[in-house]
Amino acid sequence: MSGFRVGLVDGDEALEEWRYVHNVVVPAAAMSVGEARERLVRGYRLENAYDGDVLVGCSTVRPVVGGVVTVIARVLPEFRRRGFGAALYEHALGYARVQGAEVVETCVLGVNEDGLRFARRYGFAEVERYVLDGESDEWVDLRLVL
């Protein structure tokens, strides 16, 4: 992991990399370039994670509201269980803390057992399971009090 680094999404190429990771990890919520760009407009902090020059993951930190922040770390399947998720999550969480977060929420696609195990290992507790109207994929919301 000596080559691990995180870069802020700044520009079309970085946004496309972020979107690629998002869509691979969460195919049930695949988004267009316009939808990804909208997250930037809404003040979401989007970052990409690399091992040297190789894209391994991405993260999203939504703006803190009332002390609550949503932090989502995604790692491409072929790079899991190597510490990238932990490093990316800790990086995003550090940013969220500086922004005043007291509670962290995250959302995981129900079939993503790796993501659920990861969240539980970091102390997140399941809050709710649900299926969005008109869809069939189950989502899991989790919460951690700092």
Side-chain angles (χ1 to χ4, degrees):
M1 288 241 336
S2 62
F4 181 78
R5 65 183 175 85
V6 177
L8 188 63
V9 168
D10 184 20
D12 292 342
E13 184 177 333
L15 184 64
E16 184 57 32
E17 289 179 333
W18 180 92
R19 191 176 76 87
Y20 169 77
V21 174
H22 175 277
N23 290 351
V24 168
V25 175
V26 195
M31 65 177 69
S32 68
V33 173
E35 290 168 320
R37 212 178 296 288
E38 179 203 347
R39 269 118 182 112
L40 291 171
V41 171
R42 290 177 17 199
Y44 290 19
R45 183 176 182 88
L46 307 181
E47 294 182 309
N48 290 323
Y50 304 89
D51 183 17
D53 292 329
V54 177
L55 179 67
V56 298
C58 74
S59 66
T60 301
V61 179
R62 295 179 186 161
V64 177
V65 176
V68 179
V69 68
T70 298
V71 173
I72 303 168
R74 302 171 199 87
V75 175
L76 291 167
E78 63 269 29
F79 297 105
R80 292 181 183 160
R81 295 187 180 96
R82 298 188 199 176
F84 296 122
L88 182 56
Y89 168 71
E90 290 294 337
H91 175 83
L93 184 61
Y95 174 79
R97 283 186 169 137
V98 168
Q99 301 304 307
E102 299 167 359
V103 175
V104 179
E105 296 179 334
T106 196
C107 181
V108 179
L109 188 59
V111 297
N112 182 353
E113 289 299 324
D114 286 338
L116 291 170
R117 268 193 301 279
F118 181 89
R120 290 182 183 120
R121 188 170 50 248
Y122 276 86
F124 282 85
E126 187 174 318
V127 174
E128 179 181 16
R129 286 183 180 252
Y130 56 92
V131 175
L132 296 172
D133 289 340
E135 297 188 15
S136 59
D137 296 299
E138 181 180 60
W139 295 91
V140 182
D141 284 348
L142 302 109
R143 182 174 255 224
L144 171 69
V145 178
L146 299 177

